[in-house]
């Protein structure tokens, strides 16, 4: 994070709100529900939108007793040389996995169905939210349901408050949400179409580069062009892009263009649903995404342990507090420590999914 016009001592003071630093312990459970600020650095320029390259991960997988160093080395080589399919991860589609369905309703201008879908309790909903939404869904009484919520400024509360004033104006209720929340739904639908498109393309053609495929002219500017027949043999599948449907994109001049139309048709949609005022209103301009991503760095090692709660890697908290840590690396259980860096909008869960496909990994 980046802060302006704040002295480090003021930020450090925030730590006192969470725990007493004098009680610091090597036991990670102590910090389970706490936060700590530190490791400050003075910089000439602040952070701006687009400055983020990506994320660096350190992940431990426990219970990997069948893993061997030979398999680990094979997977590492495959990932670095071939990469993995750059699917959008499940978290893109919300805790209920239905945000793309809401986005589809929005693009169809079926705002009532969108709101009804949003107001279905999910597995993470608190009891008061579940009770309030159940009451609204059975009675249609938005005001009574709103009063049942303990936190009125929640997503559900904002929608119910709008419905109190205008019970049948579902578009107004949707537009009462923060702009980023509104576009989350339409972007999730675009992502679901992209995932289906990639699966269809690879099922039909594997990793072959095709005439008419899209590649970047300038990745920083987002400009693309189509490959000619003469260029196909000189390009790698890791260069190939597929579009997320929108009002301002180019389509590949090959089978993928038909695949997109077929997938949208299965949902009763067409590319025209992304165009016009509605597409701009909900920011569905579209973009391009690499089909395959090769991590620039990937490191993995086997760690032995005995206690399932045993700490196996140094944490960011250790770094902030200036503590060193080294795992005992002994016991009859096996864990894997994975370290890798991915660019923004590239999902670690999809890399882990690829690893999980490896035999006895």
């Amino acid at each position: 994070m980046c802060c302006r016009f704040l002295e480090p001592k003021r930020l450090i003071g925030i730590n006192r709100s969470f725990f007493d630093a004098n009680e610091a312990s090597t036991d990670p459970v102590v910090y389970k529900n706490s936060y700590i600020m530190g490791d400050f650095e003075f910089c000439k320029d602040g952070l701006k939108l687009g400055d983020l390259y990506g994320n660096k991960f350190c992940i431990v997988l426990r219970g990997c007793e069948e893993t061997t160093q030979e398999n680990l080395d094979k997977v590492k080589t495959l990932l670095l040389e071939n990469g993995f399919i750059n699917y959008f991860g499940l978290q893109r589609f919300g805790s209920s996995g239905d945000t793309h369905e809401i986005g589809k309703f929005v693009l169809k201008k079926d705002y009532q169905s969108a709101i009804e879908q949003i107001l279905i309790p999910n597995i993470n909903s608190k009891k008061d939210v579940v009770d309030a939404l159940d009451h609204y869904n059975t009675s249609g009484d938005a005001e009574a349901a709103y009063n049942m919520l303990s936190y009125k400024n929640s997503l559900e509360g904002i929608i119910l408050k709008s419905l109190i004033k205008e019970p049948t104006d579902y578009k107004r209720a949707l537009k009462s949400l923060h702009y980023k929340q509104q576009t989350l739904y339409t972007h999730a639908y675009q992502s679901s179409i992209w995932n289906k498109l990639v699966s269809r393309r690879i099922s039909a053609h594997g990793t072959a580069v095709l005439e008419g495929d899209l590649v970047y002219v300038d990745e920083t500017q987002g400009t693309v062009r189509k490959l000619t027949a003469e260029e196909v043999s000189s390009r790698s599948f890791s260069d190939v892009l597929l579009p997320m449907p929108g009002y301002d994109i180019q389509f590949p001049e090959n089978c993928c263009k038909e695949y997109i139309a077929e997938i949208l048709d299965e949902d009763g949609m067409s590319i025209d649903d992304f165009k016009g005022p509605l597409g701009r209103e909900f920011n569905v301009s579209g973009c391009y995404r690499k089909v395959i991503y090769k991590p620039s760095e990937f490191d993995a090692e086997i760690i032995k342990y005995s206690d399932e709660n045993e700490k196996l890697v140094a944490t960011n908290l250790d770094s902030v507090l200036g503590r060193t840590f080294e795992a005992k690396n002994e016991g009859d259980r096996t864990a894997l420590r994975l370290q890798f860096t991915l660019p923004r909008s590239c999902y670690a869960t999809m890399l882990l999914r690829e690893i999980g496909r490896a035999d006895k990994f």
Side-chain angles (χ1 to χ4, degrees):
M1 62 180 294
C2 180
C3 299
R4 294 175 180 269
F5 311 117
L6 283 175
E7 295 182 2
K9 64 180 181 181
R10 290 188 61 189
L11 293 172
I12 293 173
I14 295 174
N15 293 336
R16 300 191 186 96
S17 302
F18 301 119
F19 68 95
D20 185 351
N22 293 327
E23 295 179 359
S25 166
T26 56
D27 183 359
V29 177
V30 172
Y31 303 102
K32 184 176 181 181
N33 296 309
S34 300
Y35 304 85
I36 183 171
M37 301 186 71
D39 200 20
F40 304 117
E41 178 183 1
F42 290 100
C43 298
K44 181 179 179 181
D45 300 310
L47 295 174
K48 305 184 298 297
L49 185 65
D51 282 351
L52 174 69
Y53 167 76
N55 300 285
K56 188 166 187 176
F57 297 90
C58 179
I59 296 174
V60 173
L61 302 178
R62 299 174 188 256
C64 301
E65 275 67 39
E66 295 187 9
T67 301
T68 65
Q69 190 62 49
E70 181 182 4
N71 277 348
L72 192 59
D73 291 340
K74 287 180 180 178
V75 169
K76 180 177 179 179
T77 300
L78 286 172
L79 274 174
L80 292 174
E81 292 182 356
N82 301 328
F84 61 97
I85 302 175
N86 196 19
Y87 285 119
F88 287 95
L90 293 178
Q91 58 268 51
R92 179 76 166 185
F93 308 106
S95 56
S96 297
D98 63 352
T99 52
H100 63 295
E101 290 292 329
I102 298 168
K104 179 178 70 175
F105 290 134
V106 171
L107 290 168
K108 284 184 170 184
K109 302 181 183 178
D110 185 357
Y111 303 112
Q112 180 175 353
S113 295
I115 291 298
E116 289 174 352
Q117 190 77 28
I118 294 172
L119 294 183
I120 296 174
N122 62 59
I123 57 174
N124 294 320
S125 296
K126 295 182 178 179
K127 186 178 185 305
D128 66 305
V129 175
V130 173
D131 292 342
L133 296 185
D134 285 345
H135 181 79
Y136 173 75
N137 290 327
T138 54
S139 70
D141 188 341
E143 185 169 7
Y146 177 78
N147 291 330
M148 294 170 68
L149 295 172
S150 57
Y151 179 58
K152 300 292 194 292
N153 202 35
S154 63
L155 180 147
E156 297 85 2
I158 292 170
I159 290 177
L160 289 171
K161 186 176 181 180
S162 178
L163 292 174
I164 292 171
K165 296 179 180 179
E166 298 289 344
T168 59
D169 192 342
Y170 299 104
K171 183 177 181 180
R172 180 182 185 275
L174 183 69
K175 297 296 289 182
S176 68
L177 297 174
H178 190 280
Y179 175 71
K180 288 185 178 180
Q181 183 67 43
Q182 296 173 38
T183 58
L184 180 149
Y185 299 125
T186 50
H187 290 173
Y189 182 66
Q190 290 175 297
S191 301
S192 74
I193 298 300
W194 193 92
N195 278 1
K196 292 177 182 178
L197 173 61
V198 170
S199 293
R200 196 163 297 193
R201 161 66 187 261
I202 292 179
S203 294
H205 299 283
T207 58
V209 180
L210 306 178
E211 179 183 357
D213 274 339
L214 299 175
V215 295
Y216 277 123
V217 175
D218 186 334
E219 187 169 355
T220 60
Q221 298 296 321
T223 53
V224 303
R225 67 178 181 87
K226 298 162 188 169
L227 290 179
T228 64
E230 294 73 23
E231 294 176 301
V232 167
S233 61
S234 64
R235 301 305 290 253
S236 166
F237 192 54
S238 60
D239 296 327
V240 174
L241 309 169
L242 284 177
M244 292 175 64
Y247 63 79
D248 189 26
I249 59 161
Q250 292 187 53
F251 288 101
E253 285 298 334
N254 54 34
C255 58
C256 292
K257 188 174 182 178
E258 286 74 41
Y259 293 161
I260 294 173
E262 291 169 4
I263 293 167
L264 290 172
D265 185 62
E266 290 166 6
D267 283 342
M269 302 276 289
S270 76
I271 195 62
D272 291 335
D273 291 308
F274 295 84
K275 299 178 180 178
L278 184 66
R280 287 169 171 78
E281 186 178 8
F282 287 98
N283 191 26
V284 286
S285 58
C287 63
Y288 307 96
R289 184 175 176 87
K290 287 190 174 183
V291 177
I292 294 290
Y293 183 74
K294 297 180 181 180
S296 56
E297 57 182 50
F298 179 85
D299 187 41
E301 70 170 336
I302 293 175
I303 301 176
K304 306 300 288 187
Y305 69 103
S306 54
D307 187 337
E308 62 180 13
N309 295 315
E310 185 178 340
K311 181 177 175 181
L312 300 180
V313 295
T315 65
N316 289 339
L317 183 59
D318 290 325
S319 175
V320 169
L321 296 178
R323 301 188 305 211
T324 58
F325 173 81
E326 187 173 343
K328 297 177 182 177
N329 202 13
E330 56 186 37
D332 57 354
R333 299 183 178 185
T334 302
L336 301 178
R337 181 189 61 82
L338 309 174
Q339 286 188 299
F340 52 90
T341 301
L342 297 176
R344 58 181 180 269
S345 191
C346 193
Y347 289 77
T349 49
M350 294 298 99
L351 183 148
L352 294 177
R353 175 178 178 269
E354 191 69 19
I355 289 175
R357 295 172 58 195
D359 184 38
K360 293 183 180 180
F361 190 82

